[in-house]
Amino acid sequence: MAHIIVIGNEKGGAGKSTVSMHIATALARLGHRVGAIDLDLRQKSLGRYLENRRKHLDAVGVDLPTPSYMDLPEIDEASLPPGEDPVAHRLTQAVAALKPVSDFIIIDCPGSHTRLAEVAHALADTLVTPLNDSFVDFDLLAHIDSDGDRIIGPSVYSEMVWAARQQRAQAGLPAIDWVVLRNRLGVQQMVNKMKIERAIAALSKRIGFRIAPGFSERVVFRELFPRGLTLLDLKDVGVRQLNISNVAARQELRDLLKTLKLPGVEVKF
């Protein structure tokens, strides 16, 4: 059975597609068969990223491990049994097609609440939630008092994850391993950053998620997208010596994969 990794957050700009691409490509480079699905049907950032990768590798004549991308199939709603959800059917059909040929399936969710995102979260074995280091993003997980010190209660996204956990429990499936990723971190230790760190640590114990190190804010991520490359590909396309920022970013990716503790994955880069 393929292990399903869902990258989800209801807010745009948290770096979901960058995280999705780097996890998917890292697993492919480690020798695993990886399928990828993009549920942002309008922007398709992950789909575009992988399309850029194929075009660039063809242009430079380099063959590198690449996830297999699948668009959601179109379906004739009239052909479905009465009461069956056509949105859910599209996603489950894509997952069913990828499962026999994949060790891992990466599902990149849109930065908004959609029915597709709900279904994806219920399918997740591992859920990764990238979160910008700000209380604006934190508000999706929990409401907090005006001083940023006291958690008042869970918020909309946490409630959706809770509903997905209940669905899996009712179906007799293993619990979701929920990992919140503090992403796009600044280099300076500011008071606000420390408050968010304390708030996330307190919330993780309250609603049950693990905390993983994310990526710092780096220009290199924006530069890689047009060529469809990741941090692990640079030497293979002619970059002989990585700069300090690239080396540090590779270490962040290594730390992230180790923290995810995915089945059968030995991080060797």
Side-chain angles (χ1 to χ4, degrees), residues 1-4 33 99-100 102-105 125 173 263:
M1 295 293 290
H3 187 93
I4 298 177
R33 301 172 302 165
K99 270 188 173 182
S102 304
D103 301 311
F104 295 93
I105 299 174
D125 296 304
L173 298 173

Side-chain angles (χ1 to χ4, degrees), residues 97-110:
L98 285 173
K99 270 188 173 182
V101 294
S102 304
D103 301 311
F104 295 93
I105 299 174
I106 308 293
I107 302 178
D108 187 17
C109 291

Side-chain angles (χ1 to χ4, degrees), residues 1-7 95 99 103-107 119-128 164-165 168 172-179 210 260-263:
M1 295 293 290
H3 187 93
I4 298 177
I5 305 170
V6 172
I7 315 298
V95 169
K99 270 188 173 182
D103 301 311
F104 295 93
I105 299 174
I106 308 293
I107 302 178
V119 175
H121 281 65
L123 294 174
D125 296 304
T126 297
L127 170 62
V128 180
R165 283 173 157 170
R168 288 181 66 87
L173 298 173
I176 298 172
D177 181 17
W178 186 13
V179 180
R210 299 191 291 120
L260 291 181
K261 299 178 181 177
L262 298 171

Side-chain angles (χ1 to χ4, degrees), residues 8-170:
N9 183 337
E10 289 185 17
K11 188 176 185 303
K16 290 188 296 297
S17 297
T18 297
V19 170
S20 297
M21 183 66 174
H22 277 77
I23 291 176
T25 305
L27 290 173
R29 292 185 63 103
L30 290 171
H32 300 282
R33 301 172 302 165
V34 182
I37 301 172
D38 191 343
L39 299 188
D40 191 336
L41 303 184
R42 180 174 174 82
Q43 294 187 12
K44 288 191 176 180
S45 296
L46 178 60
R48 289 281 299 147
Y49 207 145
L50 285 164
E51 181 182 354
N52 292 346
R53 182 179 183 84
R54 288 190 295 270
K55 289 180 178 178
H56 180 71
L57 295 181
D58 287 344
V60 299
V62 176
D63 184 21
L64 294 179
T66 300
S68 299
Y69 178 73
M70 175 170 285
D71 279 316
L72 292 184
E74 297 295 335
I75 60 169
D76 178 9
E77 295 187 20
S79 67
L80 296 178
E84 184 162 340
D85 185 346
V87 173
H89 188 83
R90 292 182 71 192
L91 178 53
T92 54
Q93 191 173 338
V95 169
L98 285 173
K99 270 188 173 182
V101 294
S102 304
D103 301 311
F104 295 93
I105 299 174
I106 308 293
I107 302 178
D108 187 17
C109 291
S112 59
H113 183 94
T114 66
R115 177 59 182 147
L116 274 173
E118 286 183 352
V119 175
H121 281 65
L123 294 174
D125 296 304
T126 297
L127 170 62
V128 180
T129 301
L131 192 75
N132 288 334
D133 232 36
S134 76
F135 279 114
V136 174
D137 281 43
F138 184 85
D139 190 63
L140 283 172
L141 295 180
H143 299 303
I144 202 162
D145 67 7
S146 58
D147 294 325
D149 292 323
R150 186 172 65 86
I151 296 169
I152 299 171
S155 193
V156 288
Y157 183 72
S158 296
E159 290 172 351
M160 185 176 78
V161 176
W162 174 251
R165 283 173 157 170
Q166 287 181 313
Q167 289 182 46
R168 288 181 66 87
Q170 290 168 0

